[in-house]
Amino acid sequence: MVAITLPDGSVRNFDGPVTGAALAADIGPGLAKAALAVKVDGELRDLSRTIETDAGVEIVTRDHEDALELLRHDAAHVFAEAVQELFPDTQITFGPATEDGFYYDFYREAPFTPDDFEAMEKRMQEIVDRDEEIVREIWDRDAAVKHFSDAGETFKANHVKTIPTKEDISIYRQGDWLDLCTGPHLPSTGKLGKAFKLLKLAGAYWRGDASNPQLQRIYGTCWRTEKELRAYLHRLEEAEKRDHRRLGREMDLFHIQEEAVGSVFWHPKGWTLYREAERYMRERLEIADYVEVKTPQLIDRTLWEKSGHWEKFRENMFTAQDEGDKVLALKPMNCPGHVQIFKQGIKSYRDLPLRMSEFGSCHRNEPSGALHGLMRVRAFTQDDAHIFCMESQIEDETKLFIDLLSSIYRDFGFDDFTVKFADRPEVRAGEDEVWDRAEKALMDATKAAGIEMDMNLGEGAFYGPKLEFVLRDAIGREWQCGTLQADFVLPERLDASYIGEDGERHRPVMLHRAILGSFERFLGVLIEHYAGRMPLWLSSVQAVVATITGDADAYANDVINACKMAGLRVEADLRNEKINYKVREHSLAKVPVLMVVGNREAEDRTVALRRLGGKNQEILALDDAIHTLVEEAASPAVKNVDRNASGS
């Protein structure tokens, strides 16, 4: 007898083992038709697999949370079958599902091109229409090696040889085509549907090793419905328009070049944007009672060994050697340096909490293939801080931090974020008992702050659990930026202590926290969020004074001087060009405001204000226009202080 417990709590009993397909049919013909897979005690399985013992079972249909990954994995297989039917000289390697779709790596002497995509997609649609049954088979190891070798699939044959002997050699067959795969898969290719599209071509290496043969990687996307596919493709179009690398060039903000790979050359306008964000953060932290510090770039490896970072991050650290035998490392993070400052002098419980911040320049040797504009760099600045506190203060400090983070995100234009709780990773420092305390303390504090969390299992830092704050931008993309980590380990390893109320030495808890994450990445996110149309307070150039005729040049200079005296960032456009040409040019450059002046404005001491994206203009007296813009351009940090001072 096998008892199957369904999600609604009902139990169905069977005389013996039962397949997922039979279970779905027993529940009803509609469910049998809609079923794609089963989830047995949390494990996703093929419908054809038997359930041998009592278990909790979910029938996975198209609207199930696990359906997309399943569909995308099958899309990869259908895609590979289509490619090999069209290009028989092609070897297949691996094709996993990804966050938004799938990819497959191929080996072929002749290069693919995007022009091949249409034929590939058409053949994929034909395979879906053929509704080929997908069958799982367990093969003898030697038979699998021989099959793939005889078929000229050397990559697959070599991979079979590396599979541990205790593991099954799992093969999935659809029609005449088959692939080595652990599954699970749909019952047939017809279940996939046609909501897929091939997107781009890239290079890759076998097993990710540059010394191995180069492969051709083709990316695709797959969704439940055509509507979802269209929505995703629209997001891609929007994302391309918003690409911070393109906007960085068009707006003359920054560039990156091979001679300093992974590092940013900030141009004057980009550096102004950077400094305004930094100034805002500094003002907010000062109000929140943080003390700012600065720690060295190069620190002896012995400190990194004590902290545990050498063992964990050595491969990602840049090192240098002095004239002696000392090995120095460019800091990949600021934490050990802050502990060294904390340890200077005797600290009392009365000194806690101590909130120590740094806009710390860090370096990490990221793989060159992972670098991406401002989003992934080797040289970056963290808005880093560490709160040294007693265990009893964790809850209050967590609440204060989340309030601060929420307010800052709103000021930057992000009203929507989610929180993930990342618990202990497999490789970590500290005893389980210490981790139990740290996880409970952070979890309880987060709940007390009224924050709902999703779990991100095993993704904590090596020294403590963390909260991950995930922003959602204007087109719905998610960006993990802020973090809060509860660390009971590093103060112990680096011998940090304070004198408690009892006169004895105690270890502080160290709360690692960041709000923006890194300035570079956050500014990249910000540029894409606003599509380059930055809020007035952040804009590198807040206004351009543009003349209609050369007769107004003198008045235009008066306007510029008055704006600068008021603290506005303005530029002049006195060129002998038509005003419509100037308007178009500055609109493309994403200048928020044009202050247009001609003879009439000069006589009346007025300006015509044109807003970016607006069709109308507003005629204002010069003083009124400046006053309006100064108020709009005020930093939110200043506005927050003013609101608090007025009690509103």
Side-chain angles (χ1 to χ4, degrees):
M1 183 74 72
V2 175
I4 303 298
T5 304
L6 299 174
D8 64 359
S10 64
V11 179
R12 288 179 179 259
N13 295 300
F14 296 86
D15 293 335
V18 60
T19 65
L23 171 62
D26 188 68
I27 297 171
L31 186 60
K33 185 177 180 180
L36 302 179
V38 288
K39 204 167 184 180
V40 182
D41 291 335
E43 179 191 1
L44 202 60
R45 294 186 186 177
D46 303 322
L47 282 173
S48 59
R49 297 268 305 268
T50 55
I51 305 166
E52 308 281 346
T53 60
D54 297 353
V57 179
E58 300 174 58
I59 306 296
V60 176
T61 60
R62 218 167 183 82
D63 58 355
H64 190 279
E65 62 181 359
D66 292 319
L68 265 179
E69 184 176 357
L70 188 68
L71 290 166
R72 288 163 177 169
H73 191 180
D74 277 68
H77 276 227
V78 169
F79 173 48
E81 181 181 3
V83 169
Q84 290 199 304
E85 286 185 3
L86 292 168
F87 307 94
D89 60 334
T90 304
Q91 290 191 58
I92 56 173
T93 62
F94 296 116
T98 65
E99 184 179 355
D100 294 319
F102 60 91
Y103 70 78
Y104 223 106
D105 288 343
F106 304 99
Y107 181 78
R108 182 172 180 255
E109 292 294 337
F112 292 119
T113 74
D115 292 338
D116 298 319
F117 289 0
E118 184 178 353
M120 292 173 177
E121 289 172 357
K122 185 179 179 183
R123 184 57 60 93
M124 288 176 71
Q125 292 167 359
E126 291 173 6
I127 294 169
V128 171
D129 288 337
R130 295 199 304 246
D131 197 20
E132 298 170 347
E133 185 182 8
I134 301 175
V135 181
R136 182 175 186 257
E137 302 172 356
I138 303 299
W139 282 27
D140 174 79
R141 182 178 304 271
D142 292 338
V145 172
K146 185 177 185 306
H147 169 83
F148 288 117
S149 297
D150 291 348
E153 295 279 5
T154 57
F155 294 93
K156 287 290 182 184
N158 290 333
H159 180 65
V160 172
K161 297 175 184 176
T162 68
I163 297 174
T165 54
K166 63 181 181 181
E167 292 184 16
D168 290 333
I169 305 301
S170 176
I171 300 287
Y172 277 84
R173 185 188 297 275
Q174 54 194 52
D176 296 327
W177 185 87
L178 56 84
D179 193 9
L180 181 71
C181 186
T182 58
H185 281 281
L186 302 168
S188 71
T189 60
K191 294 288 188 179
L192 175 61
K194 298 179 180 179
F196 50 74
K197 187 168 181 63
L198 302 179
L199 299 174
K200 62 179 180 180
L201 179 65
Y205 292 101
W206 173 242
R207 300 192 184 282
D209 187 340
S211 63
N212 287 334
Q214 188 164 17
L215 308 174
Q216 299 184 65
R217 176 173 293 179
I218 297 178
Y219 288 92
T221 190
C222 178
W223 296 86
R224 295 180 181 89
T225 65
E226 290 283 346
K227 183 179 179 181
E228 286 184 353
L229 174 62
R230 288 194 299 272
Y232 175 72
L233 294 176
H234 177 70
R235 288 200 299 275
L236 284 185
E237 290 175 8
E238 279 296 312
E240 188 174 350
K241 293 177 189 173
R242 295 166 180 264
D243 190 314
H244 72 281
R245 295 166 299 179
R246 180 176 64 81
L247 290 170
R249 290 192 299 272
E250 292 177 358
M251 298 171 67
D252 193 23
L253 301 178
F254 67 89
H255 82 274
I256 295 170
Q257 63 188 61
E258 278 300 313
E259 289 82 355
V261 62
S263 299
V264 183
F265 291 82
W266 289 102
H267 300 187
K269 290 178 181 177
W271 191 238
T272 299
L273 169 63
Y274 185 107
R275 286 193 301 110
E276 286 304 311
E278 183 183 57
R279 181 165 67 175
Y280 164 81
M281 290 299 299
R282 182 170 278 115
E283 290 171 343
R284 292 302 307 270
L285 295 182
E286 286 177 356
I287 296 166
D289 292 327
Y290 283 77
V291 293
E292 187 174 341
V293 299
K294 194 70 175 176
T295 56
Q297 290 287 292
L298 284 166
I299 300 177
D300 194 290
R301 66 175 285 180
T302 55
L303 183 62
W304 301 111
E305 289 171 340
K306 287 179 185 176
S307 70
H309 290 93
W310 190 262
E311 180 182 358
K312 179 72 175 176
F313 292 106
R314 170 65 188 91
E315 291 184 356
N316 296 109
M317 295 171 73
F318 292 102
T319 59
Q321 192 166 343
D322 67 9
E323 67 275 7
D325 296 326
K326 278 192 174 185
V327 176
L328 306 172
L330 274 172
K331 65 177 179 182
M333 52 202 61
N334 303 299
C335 341
H338 288 191
V339 177
Q340 304 315 300
I341 295 176
F342 180 87
K343 287 171 62 178
Q344 298 301 303
I346 298 173
K347 299 294 187 298
S348 157
Y349 70 94
R350 295 186 182 89
D351 299 316
L352 305 182
L354 176 59
R355 307 182 187 104
M356 189 183 297
S357 72
E358 179 177 5
F359 299 130
S361 296
C362 299
H363 293 79
R364 295 179 187 175
N365 190 12
E366 302 281 2
S368 59
L371 301 176
H372 178 72
L374 300 178
M375 303 304 194
R376 192 82 174 265
V377 291
R378 288 176 174 171
F380 58 96
T381 300
Q382 284 187 314
D383 72 316
D384 207 5
H386 296 91
I387 302 168
F388 297 89
C389 65
M390 297 180 286
E391 195 167 345
S392 60
Q393 296 172 320
I394 292 176
E395 182 174 313
D396 286 343
E397 288 303 306
T398 299
K399 288 180 180 176
L400 286 170
F401 170 70
I402 292 173
D403 286 345
L404 177 64
L405 172 142
S406 301
S407 173
I408 287 172
Y409 284 172
R410 283 195 300 272
D411 284 348
F412 278 110
F414 299 102
D415 295 321
D416 190 15
F417 66 87
T418 57
V419 181
K420 296 179 181 179
F421 187 96
D423 62 2
R424 67 193 73 185
E426 189 173 332
V427 179
R428 56 186 181 271
E431 302 297 323
D432 284 347
E433 181 185 355
V434 174
W435 275 86
D436 290 341
R437 286 171 56 206
E439 287 175 350
K440 184 178 185 306
L442 186 58
M443 179 73 74
D444 289 348
T446 308
K447 288 178 179 176
I451 298 297
E452 294 184 4
M453 300 167 287
D454 295 323
M455 294 300 297
N456 194 8
L457 300 176
E459 294 299 320
F462 80 95
Y463 43 74
K466 65 178 176 178
L467 300 179
E468 300 173 338
F469 297 86
V470 183
L471 297 176
R472 186 172 287 110
D473 70 12
I475 57 174
R477 297 172 300 178
E478 293 188 334
W479 305 93
Q480 195 264 296
C481 294
T483 58
L484 178 67
Q485 304 163 15
D487 180 5
F488 288 56
V489 173
L490 205 57
E492 179 73 32
R493 295 187 77 140
L494 297 181
D495 195 28
S497 64
Y498 69 93
I499 305 299
E501 199 168 1
D502 57 2
E504 301 294 323
R505 287 189 175 271
H506 300 271
R507 298 292 184 205
V509 177
M510 196 172 172
L511 300 179
H512 305 242
R513 68 111 205 96
I515 296 175
L516 307 187
S518 85
F519 274 92
E520 287 75 9
R521 182 171 178 270
F522 187 81
L523 290 175
V525 171
L526 208 63
I527 290 166
E528 295 199 0
H529 175 63
Y530 286 109
R533 299 184 173 195
M534 310 303 289
L536 196 61
W537 70 277
L538 274 173
S539 294
S540 307
V541 178
Q542 293 171 323
V544 168
V545 180
T547 53
I548 299 173
T549 66
D551 295 340
D553 285 2
Y555 177 60
N557 286 320
D558 290 344
V559 173
I560 291 166
N561 291 332
C563 287
K564 288 183 176 180
M565 289 292 291
L568 294 170
R569 296 185 292 275
V570 296
E571 290 183 352
D573 188 347
L574 308 182
R575 295 174 299 167
N576 185 25
E577 299 283 356
K578 292 182 178 180
I579 190 62
N580 287 340
Y581 176 85
K582 295 181 180 181
V583 170
R584 281 196 305 273
E585 189 171 87
H586 295 301
S587 296
L588 288 172
K590 307 295 189 294
V591 176
V593 179
L594 274 185
M595 304 176 75
V596 180
V597 297
N599 290 333
R600 180 179 297 175
E601 285 78 17
E603 290 174 7
D604 299 339
R605 302 285 297 177
T606 60
V607 295
L609 289 188
R610 291 175 177 250
R611 306 279 183 167
L612 180 62
K615 294 183 179 180
N616 300 319
Q617 64 181 22
E618 183 181 11
I619 307 298
L620 293 174
L622 176 58
D623 289 346
D624 292 341
I626 292 174
H627 178 75
T628 297
L629 294 179
V630 167
E631 282 197 337
E632 291 180 18
S635 164
V638 174
K639 292 178 181 178
N640 287 330
V641 171
D642 291 343
R643 281 196 294 270
N644 293 334
S646 64
S648 58

